[in-house]
Amino acid sequence: MGCKGPKSLIGVRNENTFLDLTVQQIEHLNKTYNTDVPLVLMNSFNTDEDTKKILQKYNHCRVKIYTFNQSRYPRINKESLLPVAKNVSFSGENTEAWYPPGHGDIYASFYNSGLLDTFIGEGKEYIFVSNIDNLGATVDLYILNHLMNPPNGKPCEFVMEVTNKTRADVKGGTLTQYEGKLRLVEIAQVPKAHVDEFKSVSKFKIFNTNNLWISLAAVKRLQEQNAIDMEIIVNPKTLDGGLNVIQLETAVGAAIKSFENSLGINVPRSRFLPVKTTSDLLLVMSNLYSLNAGSLTMSEKREFPTVPLVKLGSSFTKVQDYLRRFESIPDMLELDHLTVSGDVTFGKNVSLKGTVIIIANHGDRIDIPPGAVLENKIVSGNLRILDH
């Protein structure tokens, strides 16, 4: 999305950032139940400094906030299979030589930070882990109750929230059972010949939301036994200078097979509202959702509870370009499908309904006029609106 700093600091609703909304959610939880649930942020070396600066503004909130840093791994030259870094410094020509190794690093880094022992010492039993950009990931008391009072009496060490796949989620990791244990299978692990089978909505009906509930005591035990086993994902990247590198990463959910009595719980789609692209950002900024105590819920005014399919073209990829192209976020309550391609801008108070496709060919520009109502329309060609 072209972010220079932490993604958690992007404005999402009424100037509120992902981090603001998360703090509001937990503050609401603490005030409602008179509890003291802390918020823990795992930062990378890229985001730590910026995050720490911004945390000062929450000093008066009823949420204790802790941070820890994940590891820093060396990028590997794809040809020579040697580290790109010339030495262990992190500045100058070496800045691009290091990377944070995926969220599977949470177990080791959380343990090494000392926070794991601190929380166990305070009597805490479970952590709820989610991506900060998933605005549907709130503390669910039904799941928590299931963990604290397991129906079969056996304590559950790991719960993964899964939800039903739609055509938009074909790349999401799925749960399988192998040798009596649950396993997470990610698309990066699937041989090319089986990718279509993996994407099938009929064969693999659910996918991982990355909302996880994990026993702190189990993390400590497994970490000390060096028994957390996660598949390594090979992630090829090209650096700005054109150098091809390899990053070795792990995913937090892949550890599910190392824990005892693991469960997948099928949750409503409303608990999975990620913002990975500006198309996702448009949805959560729109009137499709209402905001209450930091939580986004689908507006009651929308007749169908399904989320519209939105595809914004490459002119909208970076957040700053995206924001420049919308004078205000359109009314999308009755939208089913929006595709925008090319040099397109939207005036104030535009309303989009049904299926809307807007295509500006190379060299053309389309300005959707203020107050326009587009219902089941295809707009193409050239439409310039200039200030008089």
Side-chain angles (χ1 to χ4, degrees):
M1 291 168 72
C3 308
K4 288 284 176 278
K7 189 180 182 181
S8 57
L9 306 184
I10 293 176
V12 186
R13 292 291 292 236
N14 323 336
E15 306 297 308
N16 283 312
T17 65
F18 289 112
L19 192 51
D20 292 335
L21 296 177
T22 305
V23 170
Q24 286 169 29
Q25 286 171 16
I26 301 178
E27 186 170 43
H28 177 68
L29 181 81
N30 285 336
K31 283 179 174 170
T32 306
Y33 298 99
N34 195 24
T35 53
D36 188 18
V37 174
L39 169 64
V40 184
L41 301 170
M42 179 167 82
N43 293 330
S44 75
F45 58 90
N46 293 317
T47 60
D48 187 50
E49 215 171 295
D50 289 344
T51 307
K52 280 190 173 147
K53 274 183 206 156
I54 215 85
L55 288 181
Q56 293 166 8
K57 78 177 201 181
Y58 305 115
N59 284 345
H60 304 295
C61 294
R62 190 171 163 175
V63 181
K64 281 189 192 146
I65 303 177
Y66 300 84
T67 66
F68 68 96
N69 258 3
Q70 68 179 119
S71 310
R72 187 192 305 248
Y73 279 26
R75 285 182 164 135
I76 307 292
N77 182 316
K78 198 175 178 184
E79 303 306 316
S80 67
L81 298 182
L82 293 171
V84 173
K86 302 282 183 283
N87 53 51
V88 293
S89 84
F90 305 130
S91 54
E93 60 173 354
N94 261 348
T95 35
E96 275 210 316
W98 306 92
Y99 71 98
H103 43 54
D105 188 47
I106 185 172
Y107 305 105
S109 294
F110 189 44
Y111 177 85
N112 293 336
S113 72
L115 284 174
L116 177 64
D117 282 332
T118 301
F119 292 136
I120 289 174
E122 289 174 2
K124 305 234 181 310
E125 294 177 48
Y126 283 94
I127 44 170
F128 173 52
V129 179
S130 68
N131 296 0
I132 196 135
D133 66 17
N134 179 5
L135 293 170
T138 54
V139 173
D140 184 285
L141 297 182
Y142 292 104
I143 296 177
L144 189 57
N145 183 46
H146 188 92
L147 288 169
M148 301 314 293
N149 305 294
N152 59 3
K154 278 194 210 157
C156 174
E157 292 185 345
F158 194 108
V159 162
M160 177 181 286
E161 293 185 34
V162 297
T163 194
N164 292 350
K165 226 189 230 187
T166 68
R167 299 243 171 256
D169 315 304
V170 290
K171 290 183 177 175
T174 195
L175 274 185
T176 60
Q177 198 157 20
Y178 181 72
E179 294 182 344
K181 291 271 189 180
L182 287 178
R183 284 181 179 240
L184 177 67
V185 178
E186 299 275 7
I187 194 162
Q189 298 163 280
V190 178
K192 279 202 171 70
H194 292 282
V195 163
D196 287 343
E197 200 179 347
F198 176 84
K199 288 181 175 179
S200 153
V201 179
S202 54
K203 184 150 195 174
F204 295 103
K205 295 182 171 64
I206 53 159
F207 72 97
N208 168 29
T209 63
N210 230 28
N211 299 346
L212 308 167
W213 302 74
I214 310 171
S215 154
L216 291 173
V219 173
K220 182 174 168 69
R221 181 189 79 236
L222 292 168
Q223 197 56 43
E224 288 177 349
Q225 293 169 354
N226 198 19
I228 295 184
D229 179 20
M230 291 174 285
E231 289 78 17
I232 290 173
I233 296 162
V234 179
N235 189 359
K237 291 241 168 173
T238 304
L239 301 186
D240 286 347
L243 183 68
N244 290 324
V245 296
I246 293 169
Q247 296 185 179
L248 303 179
E249 302 178 4
T250 53
V252 58
I256 190 168
K257 64 177 182 292
S258 302
F259 290 82
E260 293 301 317
N261 241 3
S262 298
L263 268 185
I265 295 184
N266 197 332
V267 297
R269 180 73 189 200
S270 55
R271 291 190 59 72
F272 184 67
L273 198 57
V275 180
K276 302 292 182 200
T277 62
T278 50
S279 301
D280 298 332
L281 192 56
L282 179 62
L283 288 168
V284 298
M285 288 177 88
S286 77
N287 59 347
L288 284 165
Y289 293 96
S290 50
L291 184 62
N292 181 23
S295 298
L296 287 188
T297 47
M298 180 72 76
S299 168
E300 289 173 2
K301 293 178 185 166
R302 182 164 171 84
E303 285 183 27
F304 307 101
T306 53
V307 179
L309 194 61
V310 172
K311 291 179 184 171
L312 299 178
S314 55
S315 305
F316 291 80
T317 303
K318 295 191 170 173
V319 175
Q320 59 268 39
D321 295 338
Y322 154 86
L323 292 171
R324 193 171 45 78
R325 289 178 178 278
F326 287 99
E327 273 196 56
S328 71
I329 302 298
D331 169 3
M332 292 164 48
L333 276 175
E334 295 176 46
L335 180 70
D336 298 320
H337 177 172
L338 172 67
T339 295
V340 183
S341 177
D343 187 359
V344 179
T345 63
F346 291 79
K348 278 195 168 141
N349 304 323
V350 170
S351 187
L352 304 171
K353 303 179 180 190
T355 296
V356 177
I357 298 170
I358 305 168
I359 296 171
N361 292 322
H362 186 67
D364 289 344
R365 174 169 157 176
I366 295 176
D367 297 331
I368 303 298
V373 177
L374 298 179
E375 183 167 5
N376 295 323
K377 291 282 184 284
I378 296 176
V379 182
S380 65
N382 202 13
L383 173 62
R384 297 297 303 269
I385 297 177
L386 303 170
D387 286 334
H388 183 51

